[in-house]
Amino acid sequence: MKNVFAEDLYLFNTGQLFQAYRTFGSHPAVDNGRAGVRFAVWAPNARAVSVVGDFNDWMGGSHTLGRAGTTGVWIGFIPGMRTGDRYKYEVLDANGDRRLKADPFGFQSELRPNTASIVTRLDGYEWQDEAWMEDKRHHPPYARPMLTYETHLGTWRTDGPEMFRSYEQLADELVDYLVSMNYTHLELLPLTEHPFDQSWGYQTTGYYAATTRYGPPDGLKKLVDRCHQQGISVLLDWVPGHFCKDDHGLRLFDGTPLYEDADPRRAEKPIWGTLAFDFGKPEIHSFLLSNALFWMDVYHIDGIRVDAVASMIDLHFDKPEGMKTLNRCGTTEHLEALDFLRKLNETVFRAFPESIMIAEDSSAYPAVTSPTYLGGLGFNYKWNMGWMNDTLRYFETDPDQRSSIHSHLTFSLIYAFAENYVLPLSHDEVVHGKRSLLHKMPGSYPEKFANLRLFYGYWITHPGKKLLFMGGEFGQFDEWKDYDQLDWMLMDYPSHAAMQRYVRKLNRLYCEQSALWVRDHDAGGFEWIDVNNAKQCIISFIRKGWDGTPSVIIVCNLSRESYLSYRVGVPSRGRYRLLLNSDDAEFGGSGQPAFMTARSAARAMHGKPYSIEISIPALTVQIWTNA
């Protein structure tokens, strides 16, 4: 056993221990017939390390850990401790000062504002998702629908201020809602333990602890388990770029910059008030790579969305002039962070080949979703921030002015297949004064709803996987309030209830029509019919499946003009059927009469040998098929 432990510490020190959570932290164990808890913590520059807690009245020095040679790790066994005990490490640091630190590998924390770690077992839950876990091993995500509901568990529904729904409650309520709305994926804002509610989890202290705000670890397992039983993938936002400075956390853990870079110009993230990890240390690789695998191994998470990649890979990202540094090559790329990201994806896909790895990256860094052996970063998806910015700017513009910025709507197809993209309509776009998606839309109140239905139709039919932040599906009018639940009372108003019906129908149509997702990353799956009609603000295009799969034709009228007779070029002879009309009265539209079917005529149009005649009202998207 000692030899195995020694090998683990060697691998940790060399950046190759990928299940460090089995070695480090607190683990109930039996030693020489005595039950207790085994501890291991990395603090190479500490003079001494003790475990303190309720079991010894928080008195340091009585339960000390011993150095494990030159590894920088302190280990020990404390008999009599048991599951549920609170504890911290008392670190006599390099300067002789005493610091009380939560366990970097702690599996559970106290509910904030308390900050102690809790001895916890994670091996007692009986999973019921065997069929799901087996199925995803044989079906890679690229050619499958991916319609993600991005959710902040603390504000989806609440019972009052700081009266959060538990993981177990959400395993019923939230999952049932996802099924009813036809979502395929659930993405959760970070659940790692964090001290401040309104950081939304993006400023972490406990990387291995699922936040206690919503209950114990088994509750989160139940939520994931039930998602899988209902055919829903679970993604977790993950923040390896930086951590918060709270005293009980990672900052100056042993009195020296240990987890953070020793150079404050590189360590400080001034716009967030946080510290960047030192990606040059192999132990940091072991800590973070193990953490990514931990969520997949222990909690059955299907994938992670890596937050703020642009801030990790650019040494100058949002830095004032006095904090700018260059790498050894004299450029601004953070070479160690780039190496870490490549190693992250290689490690994850080696352990869990079916995983989903998404980069939230606003930079123009190339080949983010290319394999590392081809020089890429190795993610399988990247958020398309260019599409999001251009498209939102277009839709926020009054329809009478849109013809002058037509390229904002169409330019994304120039680069739509350069990466494997996700089209994000995320929480970042509906908070901090940016307004909700509905509120961004121009025009009268009915026009706002018409524009939003049109926007969603364009989004769902554009190449790329999909993500929508909670509340967008029923037209939340106020921007996201990160201290209160969504405005569910809006469902008492017909226009919002109709918007929810529209999104439910649109989601179902997306899942049923494989042409809308099976070739998301293949340029051969998309073809413009008419991209140049800026004057009338009308675009039309085709989404294609593989041979033998029905194609769909999308027509978007982005103007205030209705066209009772509009001719659209089509590629083949036959009868075309209307699948969805966003102007239907059922969805809150005007209910103007629309052709439900159209038969093609041998009349060339838009470079196609045939054409169909349709009626398309103002601010409407229509989806047709030749099936």
Side-chain angles (χ1 to χ4, degrees):
M1 187 67 177
K2 291 183 178 179
N3 290 335
V4 172
F5 199 70
E7 181 180 355
D8 286 352
L9 299 188
Y10 168 79
L11 292 173
F12 177 76
N13 289 147
T14 57
Q16 302 176 81
L17 186 61
F18 302 139
Q19 292 182 317
Y21 49 91
R22 297 185 176 182
T23 302
F24 286 81
S26 61
H27 295 268
V30 176
D31 185 66
N32 291 325
R34 299 176 301 171
V37 177
R38 172 176 59 79
F39 292 89
V41 62
W42 180 50
N45 300 300
R47 298 184 185 180
V49 178
S50 301
V51 180
V52 297
D54 293 328
F55 70 99
N56 63 8
D57 295 324
W58 299 90
M59 297 295 294
S62 59
H63 292 85
T64 59
L65 304 181
R67 287 185 184 272
T70 60
T71 63
V73 177
W74 299 76
I75 60 175
F77 177 82
I78 301 178
M81 283 194 71
R82 58 189 177 182
T83 298
D85 282 353
R86 300 184 304 155
Y87 71 97
K88 284 187 177 181
Y89 294 114
E90 184 184 80
V91 179
L92 182 62
D93 71 20
N95 302 312
D97 297 322
R98 296 187 181 275
R99 299 172 178 269
L100 279 179
K101 294 289 189 178
D103 190 343
F105 285 89
F107 295 150
Q108 189 177 359
S109 300
E110 289 185 287
L111 179 63
R112 53 89 182 103
N114 297 324
T115 57
S117 301
I118 300 172
V119 177
T120 304
R121 300 191 71 104
L122 295 178
D123 56 359
Y125 183 82
E126 294 185 8
W127 290 92
Q128 305 295 319
D129 64 349
E130 295 86 356
W132 169 266
M133 299 295 283
E134 181 62 25
D135 178 72
K136 73 175 184 175
R137 293 187 183 100
H138 303 290
H139 296 89
Y142 301 103
R144 304 183 77 172
M146 185 173 178
L147 182 55
T148 303
Y149 190 67
E150 186 190 34
T151 307
H152 178 250
L153 292 185
T155 54
W156 183 69
R157 283 190 186 274
T158 67
D159 295 317
E162 298 190 18
M163 297 175 65
F164 305 118
R165 291 287 208 272
S166 70
Y167 292 122
E168 292 210 16
Q169 287 175 298
L170 293 164
D172 293 323
E173 295 174 328
L174 176 57
V175 177
D176 287 348
Y177 184 72
L178 295 172
V179 171
S180 74
M181 292 298 297
N182 302 301
Y183 285 100
T184 64
H185 291 65
L186 169 66
E187 183 173 317
L188 300 170
L189 269 61
L191 294 180
T192 44
E193 193 59 82
H194 51 284
F196 183 48
D197 289 358
Q198 289 176 278
S199 78
W200 317 330
Y202 288 98
Q203 296 188 10
T204 291
T205 50
Y207 274 81
Y208 288 82
T211 179
T212 305
R213 286 168 176 80
Y214 318 126
D218 278 0
L220 176 56
K221 292 180 181 181
K222 181 178 179 181
L223 171 58
V224 176
D225 198 2
R226 186 146 191 276
C227 279
H228 288 171
Q229 292 171 46
Q230 295 297 319
I232 296 168
S233 295
V234 183
L235 311 176
L236 183 65
D237 276 13
W238 187 59
V239 191
H242 61 115
F243 56 89
C244 61
K245 296 181 178 181
D246 292 59
D247 284 342
H248 69 283
L250 301 178
R251 182 178 68 95
L252 297 174
F253 191 84
D254 62 0
T256 66
L258 186 62
Y259 288 85
E260 65 269 38
D261 199 295
D263 185 342
R265 296 173 301 172
R266 291 197 177 191
E268 293 285 344
K269 295 281 191 182
I271 60 170
W272 295 317
T274 56
L275 295 170
F277 282 100
D278 183 354
F279 295 108
K281 290 192 181 87
E283 293 88 353
I284 298 301
H285 284 213
S286 290
F287 177 77
L288 287 174
L289 297 177
S290 292
N291 188 241
L293 295 185
F294 168 80
W295 294 103
M296 296 176 181
D297 177 20
V298 175
Y299 284 94
H300 290 201
I301 296 295
D302 299 292
I304 58 179
R305 171 251 196 204
V306 179
D307 180 64
V309 169
S311 76
M312 296 173 65
I313 64 179
D314 180 5
L315 290 169
H316 286 187
F317 185 87
D318 278 342
K319 293 287 181 78
E321 196 61 37
M323 294 183 67
K324 293 181 177 179
T325 61
L326 299 175
N327 62 34
R328 61 181 179 270
C329 302
T331 65
T332 65
E333 291 180 344
H334 195 327
L335 301 179
E336 294 82 6
L338 288 166
D339 287 343
F340 166 77
L341 291 172
R342 295 186 189 101
K343 187 175 177 181
L344 165 68
N345 288 313
E346 290 170 353
T347 302
V348 167
F349 289 129
R350 186 164 51 245
F352 298 100
E354 68 283 356
S355 296
I356 296 171
M357 297 294 291
I358 305 171
E360 189 262 315
D361 178 24
S362 58
S363 77
Y365 192 85
V368 172
T369 59
S370 293
T372 57
Y373 61 80
L374 293 178
L377 290 187
F379 289 93
N380 46 17
Y381 292 106
K382 172 182 173 173
W383 275 21
N384 192 337
M385 310 295 278
W387 173 88
M388 181 271 298
N389 287 318
D390 285 351
T391 307
L392 281 178
R393 181 181 172 191
Y394 181 92
F395 274 90
E396 288 180 71
T397 301
D398 188 275
D400 294 342
Q401 306 299 320
R402 285 174 177 171
S403 60
S404 65
I405 59 168
H406 190 69
S407 63
H408 280 72
L409 189 68
T410 61
F411 179 71
S412 59
L413 270 301
I414 299 294
Y415 61 88
F417 308 102
E419 303 274 8
N420 300 331
Y421 281 121
V422 173
L423 307 184
L425 299 173
S426 76
H427 66 281
D428 279 330
E429 309 316 314
V430 295
V431 74
H432 291 159
K434 294 181 181 178
R435 299 174 296 165
S436 70
L437 293 178
L438 179 63
H439 199 179
K440 292 177 195 286
M441 299 296 110
S444 65
Y445 201 66
E447 283 182 328
K448 286 181 180 294
F449 281 91
N451 267 297
L452 189 59
R453 291 192 301 271
L454 171 56
F455 179 30
Y456 285 161
Y458 176 66
W459 164 72
I460 209 81
T461 56
H462 187 289
K465 306 306 183 185
K466 320 299 179 202
L467 177 140
L468 180 66
F469 185 58
M470 63 182 195
E473 75 278 10
F474 60 80
Q476 171 101 3
F477 192 80
D478 288 344
E479 69 176 17
W480 176 38
K481 300 180 286 290
D482 55 13
Y483 52 85
D484 199 0
Q485 70 172 356
L486 296 178
D487 293 332
W488 292 105
M489 76 287 189
L490 291 176
M491 297 308 300
D492 294 333
Y493 295 83
S495 54
H496 293 274
M499 177 62 74
Q500 188 189 53
R501 285 196 299 273
Y502 173 71
V503 171
R504 180 183 291 116
K505 174 68 176 293
L506 190 66
N507 289 354
R508 184 169 74 247
L509 178 66
Y510 167 80
C511 292
E512 291 173 348
Q513 296 295 320
S514 61
L516 294 177
W517 41 263
V518 73
R519 300 178 72 180
D520 265 329
H521 315 302
D522 173 11
F526 178 90
E527 182 182 351
W528 282 113
I529 296 175
D530 186 8
V531 64
N532 296 314
N533 192 354
K535 183 178 180 180
Q536 290 180 294
C537 293
I538 296 179
I539 60 170
S540 50
F541 55 92
I542 306 172
R543 291 300 305 277
K544 304 176 183 179
W546 300 114
D547 290 346
T549 303
S551 299
V552 292
I553 291 174
I554 298 92
V555 185
C556 299
N557 179 3
L558 302 122
S559 75
R560 285 192 171 101
E561 293 292 326
S562 294
Y563 297 92
L564 298 180
S565 177
Y566 186 84
R567 190 160 288 278
V568 180
V570 294
S572 59
R573 177 194 306 273
R575 175 178 171 271
Y576 287 77
R577 177 169 56 93
L578 182 62
L579 295 174
L580 181 134
N581 175 20
S582 67
D583 194 50
D584 277 351
E586 173 191 3
F587 306 137
S590 70
Q592 293 182 36
F595 299 144
M596 300 305 295
T597 62
R599 184 166 292 279
S600 65
R603 179 176 170 184
M605 179 71 64
H606 302 134
K608 302 293 184 289
Y610 303 95
S611 58
I612 58 174
E613 184 180 343
I614 67 173
S615 63
I616 184 162
L619 302 175
T620 294
V621 58
Q622 292 184 355
I623 303 175
W624 293 77
T625 182
N626 60 349

